[in-house]
Amino acid sequence: MANKGNIKLKIKKGDKVKVIAGAYKGTEGEVLEVLIGKNRAVVENVNIAKKHAKPTNERAGGIREINNPIHISNLMLIDPKSGVPTRVGRRLEGEKLVRYAKNSGEIIK
């Protein structure tokens, strides 16, 4: 089921996350892409699958490894201060709404 309206996710592209559930539990990586409509994120070196590709004029054929999306609920942001997984909150800093780590209170860029 896709999101409806203006839904804000806790994880953004470029964040360091840790997988907390599933076959890749305990793995850390950087978010490469966020699929907002599907509540999923592509994380480097997580949920890797092999894809067979035919050769074309642009590239050679063969077996490639691709990163498949993983559900957002299976990911937890890594606190920039302490390096441990943390929940994410939002608060107003002046006129701007910013994300912060609940463990340390550190603002997440």
Side-chain angles (χ1 to χ4, degrees):
M1 186 171 183
N3 283 334
K4 292 185 169 82
N6 190 8
I7 301 293
K8 293 277 189 181
L9 297 177
K10 306 283 184 171
I11 294 172
K12 292 185 178 181
K13 180 180 176 180
D15 285 347
K16 289 280 190 190
V17 294
K18 185 170 188 174
V19 180
I20 58 171
Y24 290 88
K25 183 176 180 176
T27 309
E28 294 182 7
E30 185 177 330
V31 176
L32 304 174
E33 182 183 2
V34 177
L35 307 169
I36 297 170
K38 296 183 177 180
N39 280 341
R40 293 179 175 270
V42 177
V43 182
E44 67 178 342
N45 300 325
V46 173
N47 206 11
I48 297 172
K50 295 194 183 280
K51 182 168 178 139
H52 298 259
K54 283 188 174 182
T56 63
N57 292 337
E58 293 87 36
R59 65 166 193 256
I63 301 171
R64 299 183 298 135
E65 289 188 347
I66 61 168
N67 294 320
N68 282 332
I70 185 169
H71 200 271
I72 293 281
S73 66
N74 296 331
L75 302 174
M76 220 170 170
L77 192 83
I78 294 178
D79 192 339
K81 190 173 186 180
S82 62
V84 297
T86 181
R87 290 179 294 150
V88 179
R90 294 179 186 277
R91 67 176 172 221
L92 278 174
E93 293 277 326
E95 299 257 334
K96 196 169 187 179
L97 192 65
V98 295
R99 297 182 306 155
Y100 72 97
K102 293 257 184 158
N103 283 357
S104 64
E106 187 83 11
I107 292 177
I108 301 163
K109 295 179 172 101

